[in-house]
Amino acid sequence: MTASTFSRRTLLRLAPLGLAGPAWLQAQTFNPGAHGAHGAMNHGASPSPASARPVALAPDSAVPSGRDWRGLVPLANTSGQPGLFRARLVAAPAQVEFIPGRKTTVWAYNGMTPGPLIEVNEGDTVEIEFENRLPQPSTIHWHGLPVPADQDGNPMDLVAPGARRLYRYTLPKGSAGTYWYHPHPHYMTAEQVFRGLAGGFVVRAADDPLRGLPERHLFVSDLRLAADGRIPANTVMDWMNGREGQFALVNGLLRPVVAQQGTERWRIWNACNARFLRLRLGGQAFAQVGTDGGLLGAPVQGLTELLLAPAERCELVVAAGGAPAAWELSAESYDRGLMSLQHMMGEAGERRLPPAPRRVLAHVRSTPAAAPQPALPAALRPITPLGEAKVQRQVLFTEVMDMDAMHGLSEHAQQRPQGMQFQINGQVYDMDRIDFTARRGEVEQWEIINASDMDHPFHIHGTQFQVVERVIDNQTVPEPVLAWRDTVNVRPAEIVRIKLAQDLPGLRMFHCHVLEHEDMGMMAHLMVK
Ligand code: C2O
Ligand code: CU
Ligand code: CU
């Protein structure tokens, strides 16, 4: 028996829009052959015995917290040539002592997790030699950057264990922003990222209006640590809901102490597989000045909260008040619709899991600046609306469960459940299928519809997009601020309309950036001609 897991509530909320009709319900057929056709369903990720016992986790107190914040380690540029950034990234197992006296094997870039920070200027050519010393194939994907499709670490361009390849691209003017890099081999992305492979990437503009502000980088990653110091494999529940460990780290540290002096520019990355960061800065107001793809047109002042879905980044300007203060940077609890196994199997109606609890990310001690500080500029950079769309597309997110295949599953089993599919337009990802074909430079409007019960952050490769409006409960809310993004959260029963244009030809992925969902098939292809 096949069941899709959206609730009656989600259906009712979408119904007025004509989207709950039989046509798209019928599209939700469960097709076990779709994965199997590639013979890849079970390859890659190290097979773990289907143990039904929960892994004993390290208690919070096992990992020291409260150390001094440290910046990301910059990746050294070995080219002597102006305009050329040349470096090497080696992905390999490495040992980290999260628990004093215990070694944890992580997968790291150049021996560190998070990986080294790449900092370049607009117009630079980047040449990175990648060497894969992992036991699995991998790639490096340059999340959010406008790089040629054959340099973007696509799942079909695998670098085998022991092999190397060169990634080479030039970053155009206008690309300044906050990006990141991570592996993208299909079925293995989630594991490679939760074992530690991800790093920051900052592109700078020569005419950056905020260059006078001291800058701080906070790269948030997720860690699940067993009591014995191992990083355990994903369970059935992780594959369904997306993995959230018991720790949220900032630059690899648990709750570091940030010594803020005067007004600072913060870049924050959500590099977690599935953790949503509902950021709060101890309740004090801050200004948002940038999104994934760089600066906003003007600062958005007076925010007290900002939701950063997995893969999203932001730039904030954080002022230190008139007196010394201590406060917490936190990720508040956020309900993203976590499912229980019973709920998914349709056994117990609406039984859900409680959302992940609030986490403190860092302790901040702020002291006022010694000298008076310049006011934030009223305008940051011009952002032009993309204009009229020539093409309209729909992207529908659904979750489909085959209850027979799932019967008797233990939620602690460390296995990828057969019978669970995360779909786009009624299909799971197929490496050989082209889902959409677009023309270079042509403006398109995409409508992302979430007909499931969980939040799904939509992400597309190759370009930045502009959110036009969001529709929820039949109410259309125009996006208040024009911004460049490559990732946008879509809540259950929500429709997000975006505009985009792809300037470079080639094959691009779009997918949910809960990495488990991506690996489970919530990914598709756009061919740009
Ligand atoms: Cu962060 Cu397909 O990417
Ligand atoms: Cu990407
Ligand atoms: Cu998802």
Side-chain angles (χ1 to χ4, degrees), residues 240 397 399 422 454-457 512-518 522:
M240 178 169 67
F397 286 150
E399 302 145 9
F422 290 84
M454 244 188 277
D455 286 36
H456 296 289
C512 170
H513 218 289
V514 166
L515 294 179
E516 282 73 20
H517 294 169
E518 173 195 327
M522 203 175 250

Side-chain angles (χ1 to χ4, degrees), residues 69 209 286 463:
W69 172 89
F286 56 88
T463 193

